[in-house]
Every structure is written in structure tokens, then in C-alpha cells.
Amino acid sequence: MPRRSGSLVHAAAHAFGAACLLFSLAASATGLVVIAHPESGLVNLSRSQVIQYYTGRAKSAPGGEPVAMIDVEPARARFYQALLGRDVAEIDAYWARLKFSGQTLPPMLVLTDEAALERVARQRNAIAYINEDKVDKRVRVVLKLDQ
Amino acid sequence: MTNKLLHPLKERLNRSLVLRTTLLIVATGVAVGLLAVWAVLTITGQRETERLYLRLDALVRTVERTASIAAYTHDARLAREVASGLLANRTIARISISDDERELVRLDQPGHRELMPAKALRHPLYSPFGDGEVIGQLELVPAVEIISATARESSWFVALVLIVVVSAITLVLIWAITRHVTQPIKALLDELQLIDVEFGDSLLSIDERRGDEISRLAWNVNNLIARMRGTLRAERDLRAQHQAAGQKWRLIFENAETGIFTLSREGVLHDWNPWLALTLGLPVNEAQARGKPPVNLARLLDDDRLPALVERVISDFQPAGAEFAIPGKRNRWLQIVLTPLEGDSNLVQGIANDISESKHALARAHRIAEQDALTGLLNRRGFERVGDDYLRACRPRQAIAVMLIDLDGFKQVNDTFGHDVGDQLLIAVARLLEDHVRQSDVVVRLGGDEFLVLLHDLASPEAAAKVAGKIVDAIARPFDLSGSMVARIGASVGVAYCDNALQDMDDLFRRADEAMYEAKNSGKSCFRVAGKNDPG
């Protein structure tokens, strides 16, 4: 199971995300979609299912395999805003409390959509979110998020 | 036993203002203290408990969010962390956190023993993402024993402070009242008991100038004493004057040669002076009178006129008097004058004078005036007084007769032998007449050689005539006089008989006189009886 490497990496990711915000908005006029491995048990997910996975409330797919969530840096703020109406600082604070127990782990962070695609294509139980126009055959869209 | 002990305490309480005041203050202090402690224990205990519950609530609120997250993510480890954090507070006996499926953790306060059943406090846990969905529950059982012990502890502290304050106030109050009120009053009382008003003492221990109530009281008492001293002195002078006057009156009363007394309506003597006591044989003073029955004057004098006299004096409200014989003493008389007493209708005042002397003198004068000095017979005046009494008593078979006796030949004896012999003869005739009638008949010398005999209780005129005859015969006998002289005289007698009270004495006298002259004219030394209805 992948582990977060430390708070420094995380902080750098944040800084990078903030810097790329303008670019992202310009580059991705299209909506975000949640993607999964085409052969996984995850086919169509409801919005609340996605929320449960991304907040750690639900940990496994209907088939019983544990679900690995992936945060994608360029769209992260947008994603949580669209999904929960929260900004990332709040989400970080939420995970900070859970980190004490070590029983519930936060999503793994990747820096680009391409990295996210690659990861989902490789790992059967992984889910991630990317701009809709970046979707290719390696993955399956399980939910479209309204903007 | 208790009663015996209580009784002197009650007695002392009644007598001691200090003790009573102190006890009252102490009792009030204890009552107020107990009430305050009770109130403090009740109110503080409640408030302390409420406060502890509020603190529990606040405590729960600080961990609520973390607990929600633990329940949301079904994270038992995080839940345990939260629970053990809460248990650091000793007022929590048990804590459990559940998600929507199961209990995530349940922890008990180590070493806690539940003595009282406590109601669990339940907090719903909401989804941290704000849609109001309940995703679990935090249940908390408070350690009631510890909460109430804590509350009790702090209430007792407040109560202790209160007891100290109330005790202090009570003590200060007792000290102040004792020092400023009760002690001065007691001092005043002690001093008052020893004070001698007549000697001119005054209260000294209290400073009059201080001006508070007690010193004003002392000032007033001193004033009162001064005034009382003046009054006492005046009264003493007055009493001395009164005594002197009383002495004067007493001397008069006691030494008066007359009886002075007061008498009740019923005739009982109330007061009397020594003179009356000696005269009537009453007790002289109160010591003698003690134990003896009251003296009733009417009974003492044995005279019914006295009660009547008393009644008259009281009803007429005017003095009145009468003469009374002194019982047990011959020929002693009292004149008693009673005067009504102003303002008391049941008492009269009396004066008794011994009038025996004057009465005797009067009687003697009467006797002298009615007696013939030579013969000792009644004279004409004496006959006039008694004659009518006989006349009034006369009736048939109890008749009277008036007999006029004129001596014949007396003038010659007088001329021949002198007046002394004549007087001897008259005396002899008088004795002779007395010898020939009854004691109750009346013999009178009318004057010169004229005598009168009044017979009474006669059955008939013949009885009178018989006496007349005897008298004529007796006088006709020679009289032996002194110096072996013998006188021979005679008597002409006229008798008037009367058997009814309708005639008057003058008429009877005149008829006897005429009969007497008839006898004289008939040759003397004989008698004639006047005709029954002979007018002359």
C-alpha cells in the first residue's frame, strides 16, 4: 500500500497546485470525471459513493477489494469544491485528525492527469479524477461531476 | 428531674435581662446560621452540580468533531483516542462512541465504582460534511458520586464561612448589647436597690451627660428622687401638724366630762370616749374591747325609744335628744343628743350628758314646793298635781271622796299656849289623819288649821262617811302635848263623794267645803256628806 512521503512533499504539491491554477482553468474548460480501471468492480458510482470513498468512510468496492483513492493535483481544489463544497484546507485538516490513528489513510497524491491515468490503468482498485477531455481507453468513467 | 433542673433556669431567665437577651441572640444566631447553611448547602449543591454538568457538556463539545470523524470513518482507534482523552476527567464514569453500525469503543473510568445509578448523557454525532446526517453517538455516564462529592465539598466550604460570619456577628452583638444596654441597666438596678431617698442619694454610676437612653433614664430617676424627697419632707411636716391637731382633739375627746360616741343605725356603738365607758361600764380602750361582742346601746339602756330616736335623726337629718335612765344605777340619768353625720346615712354622732344632779335638784324643788314644811304633808299645790289623777281613775264601786277638815278650837289653843304648842298640835293632827287612812290615800294640809283627805277605791258613800266619823271622833279626844299639857279641840268635816270622772276637782272641792260649813253650823265636831247632785 503506497504511503505518503511526508508533509514537505505535500506542501510542495500545494504550492505547485496554486501556481498552476490559472493554467488549469484555461486548459480545462470541460468538467471533471471520476475514473476507474475498466475491469474493476466499480462501474457506475453515485456521487455519495464517491464522497464516501474520498472521505474514508467507505474503504472497499462492492466486490470486497479495498479502494485506493488518488488525488490529482491540478484539479484537486476543483474536485473537492464540486464534490463536497469544501476547500482543500478543510479537507487537509480533516485528514490530519485521521492520520493519528493510522487506520484510515488519505488519498495518494499525483501531480498530473497523465500520472493519474497511468496509475488507474495499472491498479485495478484505484479511482481518480481528471478532466473529461483527458479520458482515454485505458480507463472507465464511473461518474461525471457537474460543474 | 428535668423539671427540677429547668425550674431554676426558668426562674433565672425571668429574673435576668442579660441572660435572656444573650440566649435570645444566641438562639437567633443559631437559627439564622442553620437556615443559611441549609440554604447554602441546598442551593450551592444544586448549582455546583449544574456547573459540573455544564462542564461535561463543554468537554464533550470540544471532542465532538473528532468523535464525529471517528464515527464517520468507523475509525475505532481514533474513537478510542477521543474516549481515553475524555476519561482524563474524573467526573466521567464511562464513555462509549458508536457509529451507525456498531460501538466503536467503550471505556470505563479505572477505579470507579458505580454507587448510584446515573443517567447517561447521549450526544448525537453528525456527519462532518454538514448535511445534518446523524452518523453515530457519543454516550457518557457521569460519575455522580464524584460530582456530588465535589459539589458537597465546595458547598461545605461556603457553609463553613457562613457559620464563622454568623458566629462572629452573634458574638459581637452579644458583647455590644451586654456592654451598652444590659450591663448599665443591671448597674442602675443594683444602685437603685441601695438608694436611700430620704438621705438624698442619687444615681452616680451612670454618666448623665452622655445623653443616651440609659443616662437619660438615670437623669430622670435622679430628678424623680429629688422631687420625691421634697414631697416626703412636705408630707412629714403635714403629718406632724396633723398629729398635733389630732392630739388636741384627742385630749378634748378623752378628757371631756361628757360622753361622745358614734352609733350605727342598728344601735351598735362604734367609738366612744372614756367618760362614756366609765359611765356605762364599757371597755375603756381597744385592748379591752378586743374579742368582746359589739355593744348595742339600745339593749344596754334597755329602752325602745333609742332605735326610734336614731331613725328619726337619720330620716329628718336633724339633731334630736331624749333622757334615759342609766341601767344598774339608781336615779342616774343621761341626756342623749344624736346628730346626723354628714355623708354617712348609717351612722350618727352622739353626746351624752349626766343630768342626774339637775334632775335630783328639780325633783327636790318640786317636793319642797308641794310639801307643807311643818307637817310634811302635801300642800295645796301638791294636791292640785295629784288630785286630778285620782279623779280620772274614779268610777262606780271605785269612787273617790274629798274630805275637808277644819279644826274647831284651834285658835284658842294657839292663843293660850303659843305658836309652838299650836304647831305641835297641827303635827299631831297630821299624824292622826295619816293613821286613819290607807297608805295610798292622800292627806293634805291646805293651810292654817284646814286639812284635806282624799280617799279612793271606795265602794259606796257610806265607806267615806265611816272614815269621816272615825276622824271626827279621834280629833275630839284630848291631845297630850309636851310639858304635860293637854289640848282639846274638835273637827268639822265636809265630805264630797264622786263615782264618775266627769266632774272636776274644783266642783268637788266646793261641795265638800259647803258640807263642811254645814257641819260647823250644826254644832261642830261632826261631819256632813254633800248631796249627790247638790249644786250648792
Side-chain angles (χ1 to χ4, degrees):
Chain A
M1 190 174 282
R3 278 187 146 259
R4 290 299 303 256
S5 46
S7 55
L8 256 175
V9 178
H10 205 78
H14 275 281
F16 185 81
C20 296
L21 192 57
L22 257 178
F23 164 77
S24 306
L25 284 174
S28 51
T30 55
L32 284 174
V33 291
V34 178
I35 52 169
H37 192 275
E39 287 166 22
S40 76
L42 307 166
V43 184
N44 270 320
L45 291 179
S46 69
R47 185 186 173 86
S48 83
Q49 274 177 308
V50 173
I51 292 174
Q52 289 194 5
Y53 287 132
Y54 269 90
T55 54
R57 183 161 164 75
K59 293 183 175 71
S60 47
E65 23 184 335
V67 174
M69 309 82 78
I70 293 163
D71 267 342
V72 187
E73 187 54 53
R76 194 162 169 247
R78 224 157 30 101
F79 174 71
Y80 283 109
Q81 199 66 46
L83 193 68
L84 292 168
R86 309 279 164 125
D87 58 32
V88 286
E90 284 175 283
I91 300 301
D92 286 343
Y94 174 76
W95 283 112
R97 292 178 201 250
L98 281 166
K99 267 195 289 189
F100 280 110
S101 77
Q103 209 172 39
T104 314
L105 290 170
M108 196 187 76
L109 185 72
V110 296
L111 295 179
T112 60
D113 286 351
E114 185 51 42
L117 278 169
E118 205 170 295
R119 186 91 195 179
V120 170
R122 206 159 24 110
Q123 196 172 341
R124 267 171 63 101
N125 58 349
I127 55 170
Y129 46 85
I130 52 169
N131 280 319
E132 196 176 3
D133 55 349
K134 297 279 175 61
V135 175
D136 57 22
K137 281 186 182 139
R138 290 176 291 179
V139 297
R140 180 161 70 198
V141 172
V142 291
L143 177 70
K144 281 177 103 172
L145 284 174
D146 301 324
Q147 289 297 310
Chain B
M1 187 69 193
T2 351
N3 261 342
K4 270 186 188 168
L5 282 173
L6 271 177
H7 190 68
L9 181 68
K10 213 173 153 188
E11 179 85 17
R12 284 188 64 189
L13 267 180
N14 279 336
R15 292 175 54 86
S16 170
L17 188 62
V18 179
L19 197 64
R20 210 160 61 226
T21 314
T22 310
L23 266 181
L24 191 66
I25 292 171
V26 168
T28 312
V30 168
V32 168
L34 286 179
L35 203 69
V37 166
W38 174 80
V40 160
L41 285 183
T42 310
I43 294 167
T44 315
Q46 270 173 13
R47 289 183 56 180
E48 201 60 26
T49 309
E50 273 169 32
R51 213 163 57 81
L52 282 166
Y53 273 101
L54 278 177
R55 224 154 62 194
L56 273 186
D57 199 54
L59 205 63
V60 169
R61 271 178 211 294
T62 56
V63 300
E64 190 178 17
R65 189 164 170 78
T66 311
S68 294
I69 291 169
Y72 189 73
T73 57
H74 316 290
D75 192 331
R77 217 180 274 174
L78 184 61
R80 174 173 294 274
E81 196 63 29
V82 170
S84 59
L86 278 177
L87 268 192
N89 190 314
R90 286 176 44 77
T91 58
I92 296 169
R94 174 186 301 151
I95 182 136
S96 79
I97 298 170
S98 319
D99 60 16
D100 46 3
E101 290 159 1
R102 62 189 172 97
E103 190 174 71
L104 293 175
V105 66
R106 181 194 191 91
L107 285 180
D108 282 307
Q109 182 74 256
H112 175 78
R113 286 211 321 251
E114 187 178 303
L115 298 173
M116 288 184 254
K119 202 172 149 235
L121 305 175
R122 292 193 174 84
H123 281 265
L125 295 175
Y126 297 99
S127 157
F129 297 102
D131 49 6
E133 188 193 354
V134 176
I135 45 91
Q137 173 177 274
L138 187 151
E139 192 177 294
L140 186 146
V141 178
V144 183
E145 294 82 1
I146 290 177
I147 288 176
S148 40
T150 314
R152 220 163 27 235
E153 216 168 276
S154 51
S155 334
W156 268 113
F157 177 71
V158 177
L160 202 69
V161 170
L162 212 72
I163 288 170
V164 169
V165 168
V166 169
S167 306
I169 290 175
T170 304
L171 286 177
V172 167
L173 215 59
I174 288 172
W175 177 81
I177 289 179
T178 306
R179 169 85 174 71
H180 292 287
V181 181
T182 46
Q183 288 288 14
I185 288 177
K186 196 173 177 323
L188 207 62
L189 184 71
D190 290 346
E191 213 180 345
L192 263 175
Q193 272 173 349
L194 294 175
I195 220 157
D196 182 352
V197 173
E198 292 215 48
F199 191 68
D201 285 350
S202 58
L203 297 175
L204 300 171
S205 68
I206 309 287
D207 188 359
E208 291 179 9
R209 288 162 303 179
R210 216 166 57 214
D212 62 17
E213 287 85 346
I214 286 172
S215 56
R216 285 211 300 276
L217 179 66
W219 187 81
N220 281 330
V221 167
N222 282 346
N223 254 0
L224 202 66
I225 289 169
R227 278 211 303 278
M228 206 189 282
R229 199 160 59 239
T231 314
L232 275 176
R233 204 170 290 152
E235 195 169 335
R236 205 162 41 229
D237 292 350
L238 215 63
R239 206 159 45 215
Q241 280 176 27
H242 189 76
Q243 216 161 8
Q247 193 72 32
K248 212 158 63 186
W249 288 117
R250 178 176 299 282
L251 281 174
I252 292 173
F253 180 75
E254 285 183 348
N255 297 330
E257 282 297 313
T258 187
I260 302 172
F261 58 91
T262 51
L263 199 61
S264 79
R265 195 170 198 145
E266 292 76 33
V268 175
L269 278 171
H270 278 210
D271 291 299
W272 56 88
N273 65 346
W275 188 90
L276 193 72
L278 285 175
T279 308
L280 293 179
L282 304 173
V284 177
N285 49 37
E286 282 185 22
Q288 282 186 19
R290 192 165 301 136
K292 292 186 180 168
V295 182
N296 189 301
L297 190 59
R299 223 167 290 153
L300 186 70
L301 295 173
D302 196 19
D303 199 325
D304 293 339
R305 288 176 303 145
L306 189 82
L309 186 68
V310 173
E311 276 307 313
R312 199 169 76 228
V313 165
I314 289 173
S315 60
D316 293 357
F317 208 70
Q318 260 183 0
E323 291 171 4
F324 295 92
I326 300 175
K329 295 188 182 175
R330 276 182 57 125
N331 294 325
R332 292 287 304 279
W333 298 82
L334 284 180
Q335 186 188 39
I336 290 176
V337 177
L338 299 179
T339 313
L341 267 181
E342 200 76 45
D344 191 342
S345 61
N346 281 320
L347 217 56
V348 294
Q349 175 187 309
I351 292 174
N353 282 311
D354 188 343
I355 52 163
S356 309
E357 285 300 316
S358 54
K359 222 169 155 69
H360 291 162
L362 198 66
R364 204 159 44 241
H366 270 296
R367 226 171 26 248
I368 289 166
E370 293 177 351
Q371 203 174 30
D372 175 47
L374 180 67
T375 60
L377 298 176
L378 282 179
N379 61 15
R380 182 183 288 268
R381 186 198 298 242
F383 172 69
E384 279 168 4
R385 183 169 62 81
V386 301
D388 283 343
D389 293 343
Y390 285 94
L391 184 63
R392 270 198 296 278
C394 95
R395 63 202 53 150
R397 314 295 302 168
Q398 287 185 345
I400 61 168
V402 170
M403 207 180 284
L404 277 178
I405 299 153
D406 192 74
L407 297 184
D408 303 326
F410 176 72
K411 200 167 180 312
Q412 288 87 328
V413 173
N414 212 21
D415 292 347
T416 311
F417 301 109
H419 289 293
D420 287 345
V421 176
D423 287 350
Q424 271 187 45
L425 184 60
L426 287 174
I427 290 167
V429 170
R431 296 291 88 77
L432 185 144
L433 289 176
E434 282 178 337
D435 289 344
H436 280 83
V437 300
R438 291 163 295 178
Q439 190 82 42
S440 56
D441 292 333
V442 183
V443 183
V444 183
R445 184 187 170 210
L446 293 173
D449 57 354
E450 231 180 5
F451 292 88
L452 180 149
V453 170
L454 190 148
L455 302 172
H456 74 106
D457 210 6
L458 297 173
S460 64
E462 287 72 32
K466 200 174 157 190
V467 175
K470 279 183 181 172
I471 287 172
V472 169
D473 289 347
I475 293 176
R477 287 184 206 124
F479 286 89
D480 294 328
L481 301 173
S482 63
S484 57
M485 284 184 289
V486 176
R488 286 176 185 279
I489 54 168
S492 298
V493 175
V495 181
Y497 181 83
C498 169
D499 62 359
N500 64 72
L502 295 174
Q503 298 191 29
D504 72 28
M505 189 52 83
D506 289 346
D507 210 31
L508 210 56
F509 195 88
R510 193 174 43 73
R511 282 166 55 206
D513 197 45
E514 282 167 2
M516 191 265 282
Y517 274 103
E518 208 182 307
K520 230 173 199 30
N521 292 334
S522 308
K524 300 182 181 173
S525 207
C526 66
F527 72 90
R528 286 290 181 273
V529 178
K532 222 179 190 182
N533 287 311
D534 185 3

